[in-house]
């Protein structure tokens, strides 16, 4: 069996923290040949997509066994694990991967769903599970929402890892100027949500695989910040699912499975859904550390069962 991981350049990857590397190691333990490439390594030759790829030994990271240009149809599964932003290059890569999908290759996650499920907007399908939320580009509409809710966070729709997320109150100095800036003078919509003060107790990342929650960590914001993202200094801690979180996972399960979203990370704050991460969900290393379980092995086993 042969897997291809489409990832960022390896120089940008910290194997001790990286979920993609955890999955590669788990695949290797099942005697699966592991190959890597970047989106820029994909090319179409007629109706066949090829990749200039490297076969690797992921443990220890990184031992390259061979370089070869291969048709994607040779792989049993392709993992699209390129980090956001979901820009033109990312979208074109999903179109190329879709060609391989049509030839019977399993692509995780489904390319069309990667395009359709913006990680902020995708959660709106379950808006009744969320804090009060507005997506808009008009400054007056956003100002009115901030006035009604008094304390809000503003998120760029194309952001990642908490980057660019700001918190403002209805009487913050220069709130209008900040909204003008983040909307590019009403040219780009943004997400505004009522601030949840309980975020100081943590923002929970839950990993859902083929519709089933497999593990979670709680992420505590560092002192002086409300953002809990690990990339911004959030502190991970051991966590289990509450009954309310189990209900959220159950409600999402069928739609995620139906849309080919095999590997998903959702964020929940005080029992309210915040985001649905489908591009390259993280947190595996931390979950495995606190649970003393190899969640990555379980993920690969579940994948093999459906290929």
């Amino acid at each position: 069996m042969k897997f291809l991981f489409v990832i960022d350049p390896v120089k940008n990857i910290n194997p001790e923290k990286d979920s993609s590397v955890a999955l590669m190691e788990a695949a290797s333990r099942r005697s699966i040949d592991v190959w890597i490439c970047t989106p820029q390594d994909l090319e179409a030759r007629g109706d066949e997509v090829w990749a200039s790829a490297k076969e690797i030994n992921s443990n220890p990271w990184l031992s390259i066994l061979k370089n070869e240009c291969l048709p994607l149809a040779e792989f049993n599964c392709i993992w699209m694990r390129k980090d956001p932003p979901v820009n033109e290059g990312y979208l074109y890569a999903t179109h190329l991967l879709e060609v391989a999908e049509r030839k019977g290759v399993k692509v995780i996650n489904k390319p069309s769903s990667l395009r359709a499920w913006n990680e902020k907007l995708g959660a709106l399908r379950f808006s009744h599970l969320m804090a009060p939320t507005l997506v808009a580009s008009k400054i007056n509409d956003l100002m009115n929402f901030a006035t009604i809710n008094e304390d809000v966070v503003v998120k760029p729709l194309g952001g990642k890892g908490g980057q660019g997320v700001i918190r403002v109150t209805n009487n913050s100095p220069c709130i209008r100027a900040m909204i003008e800036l983040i909307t590019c003078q009403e040219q780009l919509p943004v997400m505004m949500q009522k601030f949840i003060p309980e975020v100081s107790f943590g923002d929970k990342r839950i990993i859902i695989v083929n519709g089933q929650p497999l593990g979670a960590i709680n992420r505590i914001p560092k002192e002086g910040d409300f953002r809990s993202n690990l990339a911004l200094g959030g502190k991970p801690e051991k966590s289990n699912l509450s009954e309310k979180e189990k209900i959220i996972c159950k409600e999402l399960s069928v739609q995620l499975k139906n849309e080919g979203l095999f590997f998903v990370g959702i964020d929940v704050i005080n029992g309210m859904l915040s985001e649905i991460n489908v591009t390259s969900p993280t947190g595996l290393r931390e979950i495995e550390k606190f649970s003393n379980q190899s969640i990555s092995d379980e993920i690969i086993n579940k994948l093999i069962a459906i290929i």
Side-chain angles (χ1 to χ4, degrees), residues 39-148:
Q40 293 73 31
D41 293 319
L42 302 174
E43 59 182 56
R45 304 176 186 176
D47 67 346
E48 190 87 65
V49 175
W50 295 62
S52 297
K54 299 177 176 66
E55 184 179 7
I56 66 164
N57 184 343
S58 58
N59 192 11
W61 183 263
L62 169 76
S63 174
I64 297 173
L65 303 178
K66 68 174 77 167
N67 291 274
E68 203 169 330
C69 194
L70 299 172
L72 297 190
E74 284 195 12
F75 293 96
N76 302 95
C77 179
I78 300 171
W79 288 81
M80 178 52 162
R81 292 284 301 172
K82 168 74 175 67
D83 284 342
V86 179
N87 53 20
E88 281 186 286
Y90 186 101
L91 293 175
Y92 293 149
T94 65
H95 285 291
L96 292 173
L97 292 174
E98 213 161 21
V99 176
E101 186 181 49
R102 289 196 293 270
K103 290 184 176 290
V105 180
K106 188 76 172 177
V107 181
I108 304 297
N109 283 315
K110 188 175 179 64
S112 60
S113 293
L114 288 174
R115 295 193 296 270
W117 285 68
N118 174 278
E119 299 192 332
K120 306 295 189 298
L121 298 178
L124 294 178
R125 302 168 192 238
F126 308 94
S127 60
H128 60 287
L129 301 174
M130 302 171 67
T133 299
L134 173 70
V135 177
S137 55
K138 296 297 184 182
I139 293 169
N140 286 341
D141 292 342
L142 292 162
M143 290 286 293
N144 288 339
F145 184 88
T147 298
I148 292 169

Side-chain angles (χ1 to χ4, degrees), residues 272-286:
M272 286 179 279
L273 179 66
S274 175
E275 293 184 13
I276 301 176
N277 299 274
V278 302
T279 52
S280 56
T282 60
L284 282 183
R285 293 294 201 195
E286 290 78 13

Side-chain angles (χ1 to χ4, degrees), residues 237-254:
E237 65 176 21
K238 185 176 181 179
S239 183
N240 296 310
L241 297 187
S242 68
E243 288 304 313
K244 193 167 186 178
E245 289 159 352
K246 291 177 183 178
I247 291 171
I248 290 174
C249 293
K250 184 176 181 179
E251 184 159 348
L252 269 58
S253 174
V254 172

Side-chain angles (χ1 to χ4, degrees), residues 6 15 31 43 50 134 145 151 172 208 214 238 268 297 307:
V6 183
S31 299
E43 59 182 56
W50 295 62
L134 173 70
F145 184 88
D151 194 351
S172 291
I208 299 178
L214 290 191
K238 185 176 181 179
V268 178
D297 286 322
I307 291 179

